[in-house]
């Protein structure tokens, strides 16, 4: 076995082509589309956005799509579309990015955190019922890091308890669960298309639904210029025409809509190449202990979409208890700048504990609920025990380079015993509140 780089051996990874990770793929066609908007001063119009919405809805296989200036607002509009309001509760996994749920405070409603499954890292259907109370109205399902959640079980629980389901598809645009497209299971779905995501347009979000009333509410929430009889037919909304019911503006800068139209044309084929590359990487490591893949069995008709921010699951016990931080140092020495921990569990952040944003007697999280939902946070053992690490997010199937990365992981995992001496006792939990920042 090759000597570990951290112990003085030769790093496994060298000389990568610069397009291996570059994303999104931007061609002359994207540039021309954006320049057309720029040259005509169409940034604040809606004509291109409406074309994008039509094409996106057709691609998604849904009747209606509404675009927003970002995914956070698209998800907030989805919550409003579902009628979430004062005192209502929505169940969501704690292991996700804050914009899956934090904006619910703007509606006077709150979030209840459920545990995740140890393999899919998505909300555990079995834990949803523990979280249900008299004020529960909806479940927010995140297809975490592109892994589809168990939608058949989740929809059955929702039906049994008369709950609405919102899908946050920000990590998994275009993905499949048992042959059906993600974003088509819930009553309404929304997702980010910001530049760091696999479907990348700059800054944009989009909401899809088959329900005309939910579409009307979603549009009325922040699209004041389209809150009129030409678009909206729901009776009790008519008298509020021309105003945004969320008190905010959600219009998209059309340079992003123009880029989105071009990206949509090539998205599926580009994701198919990503999956081929990522599956090849994990296949090379299938027999290696300690570093379980985070992926689905494609034979069931499910897939990992654009494999957003690819990660693996760390099994410390299979590597003699080697701390993840030491594993991480050894991987870095091999030439891959690995990050560890994934999203920090939201329930551990003070904004979900004592933050008082409404200036009432009670913290925002429980300002209008009948029960202290924070007490349920103590029962998320899988979320709290999970250890995960990033793996390279390959954008192209280039076996000779993918093999170098796989060799690095293999080499480190199989020689974990040689790293044990570097373990230090007081380890803090690694992770991030968000992934994307300017590099
Ligand atoms: C990125 C992201 C969002 C928010 O989208 P923005 O476009 O950044 O506002 C929501 N949910 C998840 C899971 C995300 O990763």
């Amino acid at each position: 076995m090759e000597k570990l780089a951290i112990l003085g051996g030769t790093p496994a990874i060298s000389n990568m082509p610069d397009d291996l990770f570059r994303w999104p793929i931007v061609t002359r066609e994207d540039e021309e589309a954006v320049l057309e908007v720029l040259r005509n001063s169409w940034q604040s119009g809606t004509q291109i956005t409406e074309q994008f919405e039509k094409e996106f809805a057709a691609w998604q296989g849904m009747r209606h799509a509404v675009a927003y200036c970002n995914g956070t607002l698209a998800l907030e509009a989805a919550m409003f579309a579902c009628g979430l309001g004062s005192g209502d509760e929505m169940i969501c996994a704690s292991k996700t990015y804050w914009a899956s749920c934090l904006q619910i405070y703007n509606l006077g409603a709150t979030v209840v955190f459920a545990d995740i499954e140890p393999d899919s890292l998505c909300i555990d259907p079995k834990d949803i019922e523990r979280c249900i109370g008299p004020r529960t109205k909806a479940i927010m399902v995140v297809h975490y890091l592109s892994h589809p959640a168990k939608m058949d079980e989740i929809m059955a629980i929702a039906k049994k308890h008369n709950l609405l389901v919102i899908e946050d598809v920000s990590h998994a645009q275009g993905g499949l669960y048992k042959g059906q497209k993600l974003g088509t299971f819930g009553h309404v779905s929304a997702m980010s298309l910001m530049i760091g995501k696999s479907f990348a347009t700059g800054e944009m979000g989009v909401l899809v639904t088959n329900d005309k009333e939910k579409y009307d509410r979603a549009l009325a929430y922040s699209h004041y210029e389209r809150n009129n009889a030409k678009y909206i037919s729901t009776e009790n909304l008519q008298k509020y025409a021309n105003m945004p019911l969320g008190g905010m503006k959600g219009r998209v800068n059309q340079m992003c809509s123009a880029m989105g139209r071009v990206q949509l044309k090539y998205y599926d084929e580009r994701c198919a190449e990503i999956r081929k590359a990522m599956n090849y990487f994990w296949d090379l490591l299938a027999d290696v202990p300690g570093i379980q893949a985070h992926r689905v069995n494609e034979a069931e008709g499910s897939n990992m979409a654009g494999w957003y921010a690819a990660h693996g699951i760390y099994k410390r016990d299979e590597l003699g208890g080697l701390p993840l931080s030491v594993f991480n140092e050894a991987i870095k020495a091999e030439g891959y700048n690995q990050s560890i921990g994934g999203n920090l569990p939201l329930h551990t952040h003070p904004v979900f504990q004592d933050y008082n944003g409404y200036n009432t007697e009670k913290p925002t999280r429980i300002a209008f609920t009948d029960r202290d939902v924070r007490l349920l946070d103590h029962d998320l053992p899988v979320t709290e025990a999970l250890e995960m690490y990033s793996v390279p997010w390959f954008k192209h199937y280039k076996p000779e380079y993918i093999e170098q990365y796989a060799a690095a992981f293999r080499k480190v995992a199989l020689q974990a015993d040689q790293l044990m001496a570097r373990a230090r006792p007081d380890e803090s939990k690694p992770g991030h509140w968000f992934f994307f920042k300017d590099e």
Side-chain angles (χ1 to χ4, degrees), residues 118 288-293 312-328 340-341 384-389 412-417 419-420 422-431:
V288 179
I291 54 170
Q292 183 185 320
I313 298 164
Y314 191 65
K315 298 279 183 182
R316 184 190 284 243
D317 294 349
E318 293 174 14
L319 299 182
L322 182 73
L324 178 55
S325 58
V326 182
F327 174 83
N328 176 241
I340 53 175
E384 305 233 357
L386 174 68
E387 294 194 287
M388 58 195 291
Y389 54 92
V412 173
L414 293 184
Q415 298 180 88
D417 56 329
L419 295 165
M420 211 56 86
R422 307 176 82 90
R424 291 167 302 275
D426 67 328
E427 244 199 296
S428 60
K429 280 250 165 195

Side-chain angles (χ1 to χ4, degrees), residues 70-73 75 96-97 99-100 142 168 170-171 191-194 197 203-205 308:
N70 57 52
T72 304
L73 186 54
L75 283 153
T96 181
Y97 176 64
S100 297
V142 185
D168 178 350
S170 302
H171 292 183
M191 65 204 87
S192 170
L193 308 180
M194 59 79 77
K197 300 288 157 58
E203 287 282 5
M204 179 157 53
Y308 170 73

Side-chain angles (χ1 to χ4, degrees), residues 58-228:
W59 171 75
Q60 187 65 76
M62 297 291 274
R63 275 202 279 286
H64 311 287
V66 187
Y68 297 82
C69 50
N70 57 52
T72 304
L73 186 54
L75 283 153
E76 185 171 324
M79 297 169 197
F80 178 77
C82 286
L84 286 162
S86 180
D88 290 334
E89 296 173 12
M90 177 181 81
I91 298 168
C92 180
S94 171
K95 191 86 183 169
T96 181
Y97 176 64
W98 60 260
S100 297
C101 59
L102 181 56
Q103 62 277 52
I104 203 167
Y105 285 176
N106 296 336
L107 299 170
T110 195
V111 58
V112 178
F113 292 114
D115 210 353
I116 53 172
E117 298 178 309
D119 300 329
S120 73
L121 309 186
C122 297
I123 195 165
D124 183 349
K126 290 189 288 301
D127 201 44
I128 290 174
E129 288 185 307
R130 177 184 65 88
C131 299
I132 295 175
R135 305 297 304 265
T136 307
K137 200 166 204 174
I139 307 168
M140 174 66 74
V141 179
V142 185
H143 304 292
Y144 190 59
L145 302 180
S146 294
H147 199 300
K150 293 224 168 77
M151 291 314 301
D152 42 9
E153 291 178 37
I154 293 166
M155 296 311 294
I157 292 166
K159 194 166 177 198
K160 181 174 156 203
H161 296 275
N162 201 20
L163 305 176
L164 293 167
V165 174
I166 305 171
E167 287 176 77
D168 178 350
V169 198
S170 302
H171 292 183
Q173 302 88 346
L176 297 176
Y177 176 69
K178 297 187 179 173
Q180 185 179 335
K181 216 163 204 171
L182 302 179
T184 66
F185 292 88
H187 299 88
V188 48
S189 300
M191 65 204 87
S192 170
L193 308 180
M194 59 79 77
I195 204 72
K197 300 288 157 58
S198 59
F199 198 127
T201 67
E203 287 282 5
M204 179 157 53
V206 63
L207 171 152
V208 294
T209 184
N210 279 332
D211 180 330
K212 179 66 164 74
E213 187 179 340
K214 289 192 176 54
Y215 166 79
D216 285 357
R217 286 179 63 85
L219 201 57
Y221 193 66
S222 64
H223 289 285
Y224 66 93
E225 80 282 46
R226 288 195 271 165
N227 187 10
N228 60 51

